[in-house]
Amino acid sequence: MAAQAKQPNGGYLPVSLFRTLEYDDGNTTPSISAEYAGAVGTVVDYMTRFAMTGDKQAAFSISLAGAAKVAHGADAIRLLDKVTGLNEQSLCAAFELVKYDVALRQGAAAFVPTEAKAPPKEVLLATAIMIQRTIAFFHAYEMPDLNGFTMDGGYSRLVSSGDGDYVTETTLLDMKCTSGNLNSRWALQLLMYYIMGYQSYNSSYFRKLKRIGFFNPMKNTLYYYDIKEIPNEILYKVSRDVIGYKMDYSTYSYELTQKEIQKAYNHWYSVEVNNSDAVRDLHYAPYCAALKRLGAGSHQPPKLC
């Protein structure tokens, strides 16, 4: 959805405003051909999850589910058995395994069987370096509380799926393995994940976040944006115009004083969702943007999309 969304000039969250924190491990990452660019990021992500949790079934759950959709479940399990660490056989198996992701994400028809082919040595080396960098990053920064999470309870009619990478104690993180620069589409997607996550059944993790950001293990760099610096107007517009939450512009003015906000808040009757406290907190705290519909002045629970 973020790819199709029309954004203002510079994007809803200008990437130029993201701060950076660079790490140095003394390694140079070999270049990666376009043929393997997409798979490398997925392998680094899944192998990092496996390394940190010890649960490779969970780490490669999307791959296994995709394989099951195309009746390759037994083949996928055999590949998973070979995934043990950073050795060549293990990484080659991981590259084969993530080919099944497309069957789950885009449908069985999108999966095209191909002959197994080991990636070039330089690709395997770059992948191993980036896995080590990501593990080291989390140990130096904060360990994840969530990984590979969904946002059930926060989706809408326009955005009915999507899964995020990592949530630490203070930061929502997306992994991007690229030699290129951040772009407005990625920044919007990350903001959408934050808003939907705050509305989801995992909202308790999102309520305490202080920043959103990207970690790029190819550049060994963290890019981050403080949540308190995101204008309420941007949160509001992304919630309504991009995610598709039902929101009434007339019930909220960005110029309201804290007292006026409190007065409007006291008129709200109830919000009947499992995480209703999170919905109220998000609006009043002051992340009003992700409230799907304001109930000011009504004595009936507002309907949520």
Side-chain angles (χ1 to χ4, degrees):
M1 188 64 194
Q4 288 77 42
K6 184 178 180 180
Q7 299 196 53
N9 290 337
Y12 284 111
L13 279 187
V15 295
S16 61
L17 298 181
F18 278 74
R19 298 183 178 92
T20 61
L21 182 59
E22 298 180 358
Y23 297 84
D24 184 6
D25 62 356
N27 290 317
T28 300
T29 310
S31 60
I32 298 172
S33 63
E35 178 184 0
Y36 292 97
V40 164
T42 306
V43 171
V44 171
D45 186 15
Y46 293 179
M47 289 295 287
T48 298
R49 298 181 196 182
F50 168 38
M52 293 191 299
T53 66
D55 188 347
K56 58 184 174 182
Q57 288 270 152
F60 285 87
S61 60
I62 291 177
S63 304
L64 295 174
K69 286 182 72 72
V70 293
H72 283 216
D75 293 336
I77 292 297
R78 281 192 288 271
L79 287 169
L80 188 65
D81 287 341
K82 297 178 181 179
V83 176
T84 57
L86 297 182
N87 59 77
E88 183 173 334
Q89 176 182 265
S90 174
L91 291 177
C92 287
F95 271 94
E96 288 300 312
L97 196 51
V98 301
K99 290 180 180 179
Y100 292 114
D101 281 29
V102 67
L104 185 66
R105 297 187 183 279
Q106 299 180 28
F111 174 73
V112 179
T114 58
E115 184 178 352
K117 181 178 70 171
K121 300 285 186 181
E122 61 271 17
V123 172
L124 296 177
L125 175 59
T127 302
I129 289 173
M130 287 190 284
I131 293 169
Q132 291 175 322
R133 283 177 175 175
T134 307
I135 295 169
F137 162 74
F138 280 120
H139 279 282
Y141 186 72
E142 292 171 347
M143 294 298 286
D145 292 328
L146 294 175
N147 67 76
F149 60 90
T150 60
M151 287 147 284
D152 297 293
Y155 297 122
S156 68
R157 291 188 182 92
L158 289 181
V159 186
S160 58
S161 63
D163 55 281
D165 289 343
Y166 301 94
V167 171
T168 71
E169 183 179 357
T170 65
T171 310
L172 167 62
L173 283 166
D174 199 28
M175 182 185 293
K176 295 296 182 187
C177 298
T178 176
S179 59
N181 298 318
L182 298 185
N183 60 56
S184 59
R185 177 172 57 84
W186 294 346
L188 174 58
Q189 183 181 58
L190 189 63
L191 181 57
M192 291 168 65
Y193 285 175
Y194 170 68
I195 293 171
M196 293 189 296
Y198 212 129
Q199 293 283 62
S200 75
Y201 303 132
N202 282 322
S203 62
S204 60
Y205 294 95
F206 287 79
R207 291 188 224 178
K208 59 186 178 181
L209 296 183
K210 296 180 179 179
R211 59 190 69 92
I212 59 176
F214 300 93
F215 179 66
N216 184 343
M218 185 172 289
K219 295 184 175 183
N220 212 5
T221 299
L222 168 69
Y223 305 84
Y224 66 95
Y225 198 117
D226 288 341
I227 291 171
K228 66 182 181 181
E229 295 180 3
I230 303 174
N232 283 348
E233 182 177 1
I234 296 301
L235 289 165
Y236 197 91
K237 288 182 176 179
V238 171
S239 297
R240 172 170 170 150
D241 300 335
V242 181
I243 300 174
Y245 288 160
K246 292 180 179 178
M247 303 176 71
D248 187 351
Y249 280 112
S250 66
T251 58
Y252 184 79
S253 165
Y254 306 122
E255 303 302 323
L256 287 179
T257 66
Q258 195 73 9
K259 185 176 181 180
E260 289 170 324
I261 294 174
Q262 180 67 60
K263 183 177 180 181
Y265 180 77
N266 291 336
H267 282 293
W268 300 344
Y269 181 75
S270 65
V271 180
E272 289 191 338
V273 292
N274 289 340
N275 56 335
S276 57
D277 288 340
V279 174
R280 295 192 189 94
D281 289 348
L282 188 57
H283 185 86
Y284 182 61
Y287 306 116
C288 60
L291 188 63
K292 297 178 181 178
R293 183 174 179 82
L294 299 181
S298 170
H299 293 291
Q300 295 296 323
K303 296 180 180 180
L304 304 183
C305 57

